[in-house]
Amino acid sequence: MTTSSLSFAIANSSVQDLLRQYLTSGRLAEVVYRDSAGQICMVHDVIRDLFSRAGQDFILLSRGNMVGIDHVLTIDGESLPVSHY
């Protein structure tokens, strides 16, 4: 999927811009998120893809982790302005 074909259902434009910068640069990011059990996880990985499925937005990390954008707490220490569960 290319960044030009992305359509985000939830994420606002500043979140989209930030995620696209990581996607196009291929740089390593510290991603802190809550997993499905509610545990806080921290990974250092590259964002490989951004996509929407069933009305929700996701990032795909290079190690294969698929994380809902609404579960992401921070990327490189920057909070994402989206609602968290």
Side-chain angles (χ1 to χ4, degrees):
M1 176 177 284
T2 63
T3 56
S4 61
S5 66
L6 296 173
S7 72
F8 289 86
I10 300 168
N12 67 33
S13 62
S14 64
V15 171
Q16 290 179 37
D17 292 342
L18 175 68
L19 294 173
R20 284 184 180 139
Q21 287 174 10
Y22 279 94
L23 178 64
T24 57
S25 72
R27 74 181 189 220
L28 192 64
E30 178 186 83
V31 181
V32 178
Y33 65 95
R34 288 194 183 270
D35 67 11
S36 59
Q39 298 296 309
I40 294 178
C41 302
M42 178 177 24
V43 296
H44 293 89
D45 210 341
V46 175
I47 296 173
R48 290 291 179 208
D49 200 2
L50 307 169
F51 59 94
S52 291
R53 182 180 292 162
Q56 295 186 348
D57 302 321
F58 296 89
I59 59 173
L60 178 65
L61 302 175
S62 66
R63 294 186 183 125
N65 296 28
M66 185 172 68
V67 180
I69 291 176
D70 60 334
H71 292 195
V72 176
L73 302 173
T74 64
I75 295 181
D76 284 341
E78 295 292 323
S79 295
L80 298 187
V82 294
S83 58
H84 301 286
Y85 73 102

